[in-house]
Amino acid sequence: MSNEKKARMLKINILRFDPHDPEDVPHMETFKVEESDGMTLYIVLNEIREHHDNSLKFDFVCRAGICGSCSMLVNGRPKLACRTLTSKLGEHITLAPLPLFELIGDLSIYTGKWMRYLNEHLETWIHDKEKELDVDKLEERMEPELANEIYELDRCVECGCCVAGCGTIQMRPTFTGAVGLNKIARYHLDPRDKRSDEEYYELIGDEDGIFGCMTLLGCEDVCPKDLPLQSKIAYLRRMMIKTSMKN
Ligand code: SF4
Ligand code: F3S
Ligand code: FES
C-alpha cells in the first residue's frame, strides 16, 4: 500500500471586477488547482492564469516578499501572495483585492499612487539644513546599533497591508496610517535628518497623523515584514505630546 498522501484539490474563489468595463459587475469566480509541495498563492495564481483564465489580473515582481506588489486579501486578511503557503490554509481560499487602493482589475491595485502621495506629503527623505549638500558629511560614521535600528524600519516594502488592516483609515482616508508613521519614526531616528521636533509636529501632530491612531493594532498584526509598528507609534506619540507641551 502506498504511503503517498493524495494532493489536495484547492478551490480558489476570486473576486473579479474590471472597473474600466462598464458592462462588468463585481462577482466571484472559482478555480480548482491541485496543490503541490511548497505551493504559494503566487504559484496558484500563475497556474490559474496559465491553465484556466489568462485574463486574471494580479501583481508581482520579486516573488520573494521584497517588492510588496502582490498584497491582497486572503480569506479576508491582508497578506503577500508570494509569501503565503497554501499548506497553511484550508482547501477553500478566498482572494480579493486590498481595499482603499485604486483598483486596476481583479486582484491588481495601484498602491504606488497612494504611497507616492504619502511620501511627498511626509517628505520622506533626509533633510539637511545646509544648502550645499556635503556628501562626506552624509557618510559620517554611525553607531552600528543605530544603523541597525534605522535599517529595521527601512524594511517596509510599501505593500499596503497595514493600510488595509487599519480601521481608522477606513473611516478617515486622510489618516497617514502605520506605514507613514513608521517612515517618520525612521527619519526622526536618523542623525543626518536635521528636522526639529516642531517640524515633525507640523507633519504628524494632528488627527491625520499620530493623534488619529486609535491603537487598533491591526497594522502590526498583518505587517508581513514584522515591523515593530506599535512601539514606534507609541514612541512618536510620547514625543509629539512633549513637543506640543513645549509650545
Ligand atoms: Fe507593508 Fe509593513 Fe510597510 Fe505597512 S509597514 S506597508 S504592512 S511592510
Ligand atoms: Fe491603525 Fe495601527 Fe493605529 S491599525 S489605528 S495605525 S495601531
Ligand atoms: Fe514581490 Fe510578492 S511578488 S512581494
Side-chain angles (χ1 to χ4, degrees):
M1 206 167 78
S2 160
N3 282 335
E4 261 183 45
K5 225 171 118 194
K6 203 166 172 281
R8 293 192 302 171
M9 187 56 80
L10 303 173
K11 285 159 204 82
I12 315 291
N13 309 305
I14 302 181
L15 181 58
R16 308 282 314 260
F17 180 49
D18 180 353
H20 308 291
D21 177 357
E23 306 286 304
D24 201 10
V25 287
H27 60 284
M28 299 302 291
E29 277 181 28
T30 304
F31 301 92
K32 287 186 183 169
V33 175
E34 190 175 310
E35 191 175 35
S36 54
D37 284 345
M39 193 174 222
T40 62
L41 286 177
Y42 162 77
I43 297 172
V44 168
L45 290 169
N46 271 296
E47 292 242 333
I48 293 174
R49 193 146 70 183
E50 217 167 294
H51 302 295
H52 300 271
D53 185 345
N54 62 12
S55 72
L56 179 68
K57 297 184 187 72
F58 60 95
D59 301 315
F60 70 93
V61 178
C62 71
R63 295 174 286 165
I66 297 166
C67 70
S69 48
C70 66
S71 46
M72 60 188 65
L73 289 183
V74 178
N75 295 337
R77 196 177 168 87
K79 281 181 183 293
L80 295 180
C82 72
R83 305 301 294 163
T84 305
L85 290 166
T86 55
S87 57
K88 304 275 180 209
L89 303 167
E91 273 172 35
H92 292 261
I93 300 170
T94 302
L95 304 178
L98 282 193
L100 283 158
F101 297 100
E102 188 178 319
L103 181 68
I104 294 171
D106 301 330
L107 303 170
S108 172
I109 48 163
Y110 193 0
T111 45
K113 189 173 171 186
W114 199 94
M115 295 296 171
R116 187 186 171 101
Y117 168 77
L118 179 85
N119 283 304
E120 286 177 352
H121 172 64
L122 297 179
E123 301 188 9
T124 56
W125 52 86
I126 300 278
H127 286 56
D128 196 321
K129 298 279 185 251
E130 286 164 31
K131 290 215 169 63
E132 293 289 321
L133 198 62
D134 182 344
V135 175
D136 291 335
K137 199 169 150 221
L138 284 176
E139 293 301 318
E140 256 177 35
R141 188 178 180 279
M142 189 187 286
E143 288 305 321
E145 294 75 20
L146 179 58
N148 276 342
E149 220 181 317
I150 293 171
Y151 170 72
E152 171 76 357
L153 305 186
D154 259 344
R155 291 188 306 110
C156 171
V157 292
E158 298 192 346
C159 62
C161 286
C162 61
V163 176
C166 174
T168 302
I169 305 186
Q170 313 279 337
M171 293 181 282
R172 193 181 321 114
T174 49
F175 175 52
T176 297
V179 55
L181 297 172
N182 176 65
K183 283 171 186 286
I184 289 292
R186 178 252 177 270
Y187 283 95
H188 187 258
L189 265 180
D190 196 319
R192 296 167 298 180
D193 192 292
K194 301 296 183 233
R195 280 177 283 187
S196 64
D197 287 354
E198 285 71 20
E199 285 171 290
Y200 279 114
Y201 189 85
E202 283 291 306
L203 287 173
I204 58 156
D206 60 11
E207 294 278 298
D208 282 340
I210 195 71
F211 299 122
C213 169
M214 297 192 287
T215 325
L216 298 175
L217 308 181
C219 52
E220 187 160 318
D221 275 358
V222 299
C223 176
K225 306 307 281 186
D226 295 322
L227 293 183
L229 299 172
Q230 272 324 293
S231 59
K232 291 303 157 199
I233 289 174
Y235 160 76
L236 281 181
R237 189 176 284 129
R238 285 196 301 276
M239 197 262 281
M240 288 296 143
I241 290 171
K242 261 197 227 156
T243 308
S244 73
M245 281 160 54
K246 274 195 250 159
N247 297 328

